[in-house]
Amino acid sequence: MRRTWVLAATLALTPVGTAWADIPYGQPIAGNATYYTDAGYGACGTPIDASSQLLAAAPAAYWTTANPNNDPLCQGVSVQVSYNGRSVTVPVVDKCPTCDSTHIDLSAPAFAQLADTGLGNIPVTWSFVRS
């Protein structure tokens, strides 16, 4: 009986979710990009201003911890996004709760490096990269 308890305790302490090594680095994702202009604190717990800084909000599907401040995505992860022969690489500092797994939400200045913000939504290829 005691062995069962030790095993159960060990399983209870095992982290659940995607580990750092499970972030799909370098795997191209065909999807779309939009932009946002929010200011305040991003999901990683740092102050952001998406109207003036180069940054990205990753889709909720890639976040794996209850407290996003501790998520592997907040530990030196960026996204490289390409559109129409242009590319931009920006850090992940926020979470996009409404984005599906192929949709990346960029700050307005990051989006503007790829296309006119008047387009609002563009088809892109993007991937996670180490910062």
Side-chain angles (χ1 to χ4, degrees):
M1 188 69 141
R2 184 175 182 143
R3 282 187 177 182
T4 304
W5 182 85
V6 171
L7 177 61
T10 302
L11 291 174
L13 296 175
T14 302
V16 177
T18 303
W20 172 260
D22 292 334
I23 295 171
Y25 289 106
Q27 295 179 16
I29 299 167
N32 66 307
T34 53
Y35 72 92
Y36 70 117
T37 57
D38 296 354
Y41 284 86
C44 293
T46 56
I48 64 164
D49 183 350
S51 67
S52 65
Q53 296 173 316
L54 294 170
L55 52 89
Y62 293 101
W63 295 80
T64 60
T65 61
N67 178 354
N69 294 297
N70 298 327
D71 200 273
L73 287 175
C74 293
Q75 309 301 317
V77 177
S78 292
V79 289
Q80 183 176 43
V81 186
S82 300
Y83 170 73
N84 212 19
R86 296 181 180 177
S87 290
V88 64
T89 301
V90 294
V92 172
V93 296
D94 210 358
K95 180 180 189 176
C96 181
T98 60
C99 293
D100 69 35
S101 63
T102 64
H103 177 172
I104 191 74
D105 207 14
L106 301 171
S107 63
F111 188 97
Q113 288 194 13
L114 299 173
D116 186 310
T117 55
L119 293 175
N121 190 332
I122 56 175
V124 297
T125 300
W126 64 277
S127 62
F128 289 105
V129 296
R130 296 179 198 273
S131 298

